[in-house]
Amino acid sequence: MNKETRATVIAGNWKMNKTPAETAALINDMKPLVGAADWCKVLLCVPYVDIAAAVEAAKGSNIEIGAENMHWEASGAYTGEISADMLKAVGVKYVIIGHSERRQYFAETDATVNLKVKAALAAGLTPIMCVGETLEQRDLGIMPEIIAMQTKCGLIGIDAEEMKKVIIAYEPVWAIGTGRTATADQADEVCGIIRNTLCGLYDCATAEAVTIQYGGSMNAKNAAELLSKKNVDGGLIGGASLKAPDFAAIVDAAK
């Protein structure tokens, strides 16, 4: 982490878990543990049906609420989709875009990720744009090219001023939900590649100000080592964000 130039952000990604009642209960368990943390930003990105309960439960704490996905259009015949303005209207401040599971299971592409990033920024939301390589791509030795391409494609048409409002999450596809985790050095290497790509797209001052999270199975045991690396500015936390003590341990590690 480099807290002098950029924010540290610990974000939970609940995926398809928790009812509204369970959401309120979990956030109420979390608030005494993380609700006063002033050394990092604390976010919980929850399913659509849980947003209202999450916003209400988080009141009086520093926990902010995000969504896990959104459509790029403002409205229209897109059955089952949710727009950026809809999210903003119910109290959402952040939105995950291009998560590896969205890319793998729901045909997300670099092009749709770019459309969503633009729509989120236009609505005043902070996008958490995800990038990451598969195991095959890593083994082929093309990881740097894949990471740079996804970063560049996702940010087409985003200027330096807008870039200040974007968070990037490195999510190695081979480490999502598998229990496998990149080593701290591997995470730092790829977050560094993302930062160098931003330096080329914009300038190095802009790149140094961007928060880049690690999102591949960060947990209570490995968080401190991962967060000790200079290019790792936080975590996009899956399973560990569904357990208040584990999530609190990661937030504490961000000190």
Side-chain angles (χ1 to χ4, degrees):
M1 295 179 291
N2 184 345
K3 293 187 178 183
E4 293 182 3
T5 60
R6 51 191 178 261
T8 301
V9 181
I10 304 297
N13 173 21
W14 285 11
K15 306 188 180 183
M16 195 175 71
N17 292 290
K18 301 299 179 184
T19 64
E22 291 169 338
T23 293
L26 180 53
I27 293 177
N28 284 327
D29 287 342
M30 286 181 174
K31 283 200 292 188
L33 303 177
V34 305
D38 59 3
W39 53 87
C40 66
K41 292 186 177 182
V42 180
L43 324 176
L44 294 173
C45 298
V46 304
Y48 295 135
V49 297
D50 296 332
I51 289 171
V55 169
E56 181 63 28
K59 285 181 178 178
S61 74
N62 72 337
I63 299 172
E64 298 183 283
I65 304 304
E68 298 176 14
N69 184 37
M70 52 161 268
H71 199 275
W72 60 85
E73 293 288 358
S75 63
Y78 303 102
T79 301
E81 292 293 333
I82 304 292
S83 73
D85 286 339
M86 291 175 182
L87 294 178
K88 190 174 180 181
V90 292
V92 165
K93 296 182 179 179
Y94 297 81
V95 58
I96 299 171
I97 292 175
H99 188 278
S100 63
E101 291 159 357
R102 298 296 311 176
R103 293 177 187 258
Q104 183 176 0
Y105 303 134
F106 301 103
E108 288 272 359
T109 67
D110 292 334
T112 59
V113 166
N114 178 242
L115 290 171
K116 291 181 180 187
V117 169
K118 290 177 178 176
L121 289 169
L125 300 177
T126 297
I128 302 174
M129 187 185 85
C130 303
V131 300
E133 83 283 10
T134 64
L135 183 60
E136 181 182 19
Q137 290 165 340
R138 176 169 277 269
D139 288 344
L140 286 171
I142 59 174
M143 175 273 290
E145 290 88 347
I146 295 297
I147 295 299
M149 180 187 70
Q150 289 182 352
T151 302
K152 291 177 180 178
C153 290
L155 297 174
I156 292 171
I158 306 302
D159 63 30
E161 193 62 30
E162 291 174 312
M163 192 63 222
K164 296 176 182 177
K165 303 170 186 175
V166 178
I167 295 171
I168 297 179
Y170 166 52
E171 289 195 316
V173 177
W174 48 271
I176 306 300
T178 64
R180 295 182 61 180
T181 309
T183 66
D185 286 339
Q186 286 174 326
D188 189 53
E189 175 193 12
V190 183
C191 289
I193 290 170
I194 295 168
R195 204 173 303 285
N196 287 337
T197 302
L198 297 176
C199 190
L201 284 175
Y202 303 102
D203 55 75
C204 291
T206 298
E208 283 297 318
V210 174
T211 295
I212 302 176
Q213 301 173 306
Y214 173 68
S217 298
M218 183 183 285
N219 56 51
K221 293 182 179 179
N222 62 28
E225 184 181 9
L226 285 162
L227 293 170
S228 72
K229 297 300 180 178
K230 69 176 183 177
N231 284 303
V232 179
D233 305 315
L236 184 58
I237 316 300
S241 69
L242 296 170
K243 300 175 182 178
D246 289 5
F247 190 61
I250 297 170
V251 172
D252 286 341
K255 287 182 179 178

